[in-house]
Amino acid sequence: MLALATRFLREPVSLRLAEEFLTVPVDTIDRCVADVCACARHLGVSATPEIVERIARERLLAIVNSAPPPRSSR
């Protein structure tokens, strides 16, 4: 039952983040959201959609901002 509730929490959050992070693969976004949910449960924090989305967004921003710059052709 917990897995079903977690899935219903994750799907709308993943969809909103996928619309925002077009360069990040959807699988990566889903995994990030699932990881945030798992971390919240482990820490005993209530995993509301707002909290999950905020933390996942920060993690995805870190992924996007840490990508190496494109190579320039010489």
Side-chain angles (χ1 to χ4, degrees):
M1 191 67 162
L2 180 61
L4 183 62
T6 303
R7 193 178 104 226
F8 286 131
L9 166 75
R10 289 190 335 227
E11 287 178 358
V13 173
S14 291
L15 288 173
R16 283 193 299 273
L17 291 172
E19 290 174 353
E20 185 175 340
F21 293 94
L22 299 174
T23 60
V24 178
V26 176
D27 291 344
T28 302
I29 294 171
D30 287 339
R31 195 173 19 212
C32 180
V33 171
D35 185 47
V36 169
C37 288
C39 288
R41 275 197 316 270
H42 175 74
L43 294 171
V45 176
S46 177
T48 65
E50 294 81 16
I51 290 174
V52 171
E53 185 172 345
R54 182 185 297 173
I55 295 170
R57 179 177 286 109
E58 290 299 322
R59 289 183 174 192
L60 292 167
L61 281 171
I63 290 170
V64 169
N65 291 332
S66 68
R71 292 182 180 227
S72 60
S73 58
R74 292 184 175 186

